[in-house]
Amino acid sequence: MEPKPEPAEPALTELRSKSSFFIYNPYEKRTVEVPLTNCDAFISLLKCVIGTGILAMPLAFRHSGILMGVLFSVLLMILLTYSIHLLIAGMTECCRRRRVPQVSMPEAVQIAYELGPKWVHCFGRTAGLLTTCVLVFGQFGLCTVYLVFVAKNFKEIGDYYGGQCNERYYVLAACLLLLPLFMIRRLKYLVPLNLVSNFLLYGGFTFIMYYLFSGLGSPSERLLTSTPPREWFVFFGIASFSLTAVGSMLVVEANMAHPQSYLGMFGVLNVSVFFILLSNIFFGIMGYWRFGQIVEASITLNIPQNEILSQLIKVFIATGIFLSYPLNGFVAITVIFSDYGETTEKGKYHTLLEYAVRISFLLLTGLVAVGVPNLAALTELEGAFSLSNLNLLCPALIDIFLNYDIGYGRLRWKLIRDLLLIVVGLVFGIVGCTLAMKQLLDDFRLTLKHM
């Protein structure tokens, strides 16, 4: 259900929606129960993006070569950051057109369809519902990858000290331990958890430098640009997983005390993205240079199993990723309940229902992690799916429909830009998801054979 718009005369509302962006400022009307400071937003944004993806970058560079990997990383980051700016600008324009302080991404898609050509008006509600499903599925995939990552790393330590144990038991143990943390319902109260998680992750990243810089071979032994183009799709799938967190990025912006500081040249988003890009390129180059063709889906799986330092690194990073689950799961829960409106919020059973949904979400991610514990394929599938749908298709469609009645600029450059984003999104989504699903199905067949 959309927020109730402020009353206004029909003629004046129509004039404002088409001719002015500044008569109604949604940021001034927005109220957040427990707002995030810019520093809180920066910490939460880093927590949303930096995680298992950065540790998979060496595998991505193995599929692209070093030079193409750097080039593709920069181009991909520019594309994704630009699309996020386009998406948030479109959502803000939807707020102005409807004269409401805030809309969710599914609501923005529905509003855009209703403001577009007449023949798409009837698809507005369906498009909004599909966007909700895409957002939830994207976060579901991300949380599943986290569980697999945590299980694989703790299994290596457990196997060394206590003997072989099935990886699936570690997934179930992680789910049980996450249960109380996932019951936290306010984003502000997750910030201390995110701070601890960031400390553990960066502590683990710092210690892992020892293994990245020791035993380096000659750079000439590594591929620079000679991988076939088919391998590039695998690179983009893995790299986009480490860069895309659209749902989390929108939730952080929506909960800021000063959302105006989110965008802009030196806004919270751009500064965070620049920091993430440098980290990804560094780990991608050094991890691939160090381990070459034997690099795993996470470089924590390449370091020795029997050394105290390597075990400490795995504990730090796996615990940091473990503590990332509540924030990314929070995004999915927020999306699920965003359309219930004020009535349900005040309803008698709303809190109980939310707890039930949280428990179900946690259990379902655990079941998928048990069924298909292929970290590389899950990472590629999540990256390709999210990049295609959330980063490219949705922002482009919203922009096309919002500009339908006011024009697309000189030579229709906005329309051309949006159509290019749609084409790129469709091609990448179809190819990337197909390759990842093939790997997952093969892995699932092996799982069934061993049961």
Side-chain angles (χ1 to χ4, degrees):
M1 183 183 296
E2 298 178 21
K4 295 180 181 178
E6 296 183 0
E9 297 179 8
L12 185 58
T13 304
E14 181 69 17
L15 174 65
R16 287 175 177 173
S17 68
K18 290 188 178 183
S19 63
S20 174
F21 290 96
F22 302 103
I23 292 177
Y24 180 85
N25 186 349
Y27 293 142
E28 293 178 352
K29 310 291 184 181
R30 185 179 296 182
T31 56
V32 181
E33 186 177 343
V34 189
L36 301 174
T37 65
N38 288 355
C39 183
D40 290 340
F42 179 76
I43 292 170
S44 296
L45 201 54
L46 290 182
K47 185 76 254 63
C48 291
V49 182
I50 291 183
T52 58
I54 193 174
L55 298 171
M57 284 303 292
L59 179 63
F61 272 64
R62 193 190 82 183
H63 288 283
S64 66
I66 292 177
L67 294 182
M68 297 305 291
V70 173
L71 176 62
F72 287 157
S73 294
V74 173
L75 292 177
L76 187 61
M77 182 63 82
I78 292 172
L79 176 65
L80 298 186
T81 307
Y82 182 79
S83 68
I84 291 294
H85 279 260
L86 185 65
L87 175 61
I88 293 177
M91 292 174 65
T92 306
E93 178 62 12
C94 287
C95 292
R96 295 187 179 109
R97 302 259 185 128
R98 287 290 191 257
R99 298 180 61 79
V100 294
Q102 199 167 13
V103 294
S104 65
M105 188 174 176
E107 288 169 344
V109 170
Q110 181 175 342
I111 292 169
Y113 269 76
E114 292 169 353
L115 294 172
K118 287 185 178 179
W119 62 272
V120 302
H121 290 183
C122 59
F123 300 111
R125 187 175 294 276
T126 304
L129 179 61
L130 287 175
T131 306
T132 300
C133 295
V134 168
L135 276 168
V136 172
F137 182 79
Q139 293 302 126
F140 181 90
L142 184 63
C143 291
T144 303
V145 170
Y146 282 1
L147 285 177
V148 174
F149 177 89
V150 170
K152 283 185 178 296
N153 281 274
F154 277 113
K155 180 183 184 302
E156 288 212 335
I157 300 173
D159 286 353
Y160 179 73
Y161 286 105
Q164 294 288 328
C165 181
N166 195 303
E167 184 180 313
R168 292 165 177 81
Y169 292 121
Y170 287 92
V171 173
L172 295 176
C175 288
L176 288 175
L177 292 173
L178 275 170
L179 190 57
L181 297 178
F182 196 46
M183 296 300 106
I184 298 175
R185 300 175 58 239
R186 292 288 178 265
L187 183 60
K188 179 74 174 179
Y189 302 141
L190 288 175
V191 171
L193 207 63
N194 298 334
L195 198 57
V196 173
S197 177
N198 282 342
F199 172 79
L200 291 172
L201 284 174
Y202 283 107
F205 293 159
T206 302
F207 292 144
I208 210 171
M209 299 298 174
Y210 170 78
Y211 292 102
L212 292 182
F213 284 98
S214 61
L216 286 174
S218 169
S220 60
E221 297 175 4
R222 304 296 178 234
L223 295 173
L224 294 179
T225 58
S226 58
T227 57
R230 183 180 180 276
E231 297 286 307
W232 295 352
F233 284 99
V234 180
F235 169 88
F236 281 114
I238 296 172
S240 58
F241 174 82
S242 68
L243 302 174
T244 57
V246 178
S248 304
M249 290 176 175
L250 294 180
V251 166
V252 169
E253 188 269 347
N255 283 272
M256 286 180 66
H258 305 287
Q260 305 93 323
S261 306
Y262 194 68
L263 300 181
M265 182 64 72
F266 299 102
V268 173
L269 177 63
N270 282 4
V271 173
S272 303
V273 159
F274 181 72
F275 187 79
I276 292 162
L277 174 63
L278 294 180
S279 303
N280 283 355
I281 290 176
F282 174 79
F283 270 88
I285 292 175
M286 296 307 301
Y288 176 55
W289 185 4
R290 172 64 180 84
F291 297 109
Q293 296 301 309
I294 63 168
V295 68
E296 297 279 355
S298 168
I299 52 174
T300 56
L301 302 176
N302 281 104
I303 60 179
Q305 190 177 2
N306 58 347
E307 297 180 11
I308 296 296
L309 179 59
S310 65
Q311 293 168 0
L312 186 64
I313 290 170
K314 291 176 184 181
V315 169
F316 269 43
I317 294 179
T319 306
I321 296 300
F322 174 85
L323 295 176
S324 303
Y325 186 105
L327 176 61
N328 288 282
F330 176 90
V331 174
I333 303 303
T334 300
V335 171
I336 291 170
F337 283 92
S338 63
D339 295 330
Y340 279 75
E342 295 179 0
T343 354
T344 308
E345 185 68 33
K346 295 176 182 177
K348 185 177 178 182
Y349 300 106
H350 174 83
T351 304
L352 187 61
L353 178 62
E354 182 175 336
Y355 282 134
V357 171
R358 285 174 177 271
I359 293 171
S360 302
F361 182 89
L362 178 60
L363 290 177
L364 284 173
T365 54
L367 287 174
V368 174
V370 165
V372 281
N374 186 326
L375 186 58
L378 283 171
T379 301
E380 186 185 341
L381 176 64
E382 161 59 17
F385 181 84
S386 294
L387 173 68
S388 171
N389 290 282
L390 302 178
N391 283 84
L392 298 176
L393 295 182
C394 280
L397 288 172
I398 290 174
D399 193 69
I400 284 177
F401 295 146
L402 288 180
N403 288 302
Y404 175 74
D405 57 349
I406 59 177
Y408 297 103
R410 191 174 182 180
L411 300 177
R412 296 188 168 223
W413 71 271
K414 291 181 181 179
L415 179 61
I416 294 171
R417 172 200 62 192
D418 295 336
L419 291 176
L420 284 174
L421 288 176
I422 289 173
V423 170
V424 172
L426 287 174
V427 171
F428 180 77
I430 292 170
V431 177
C433 290
T434 301
L435 292 174
M437 284 300 298
K438 184 178 181 301
Q439 293 181 54
L440 286 175
L441 288 173
D442 292 343
D443 192 67
F444 186 63
R445 291 191 189 102
L446 287 175
T447 301
L448 291 178
K449 283 181 181 178
H450 290 90
M451 286 180 67

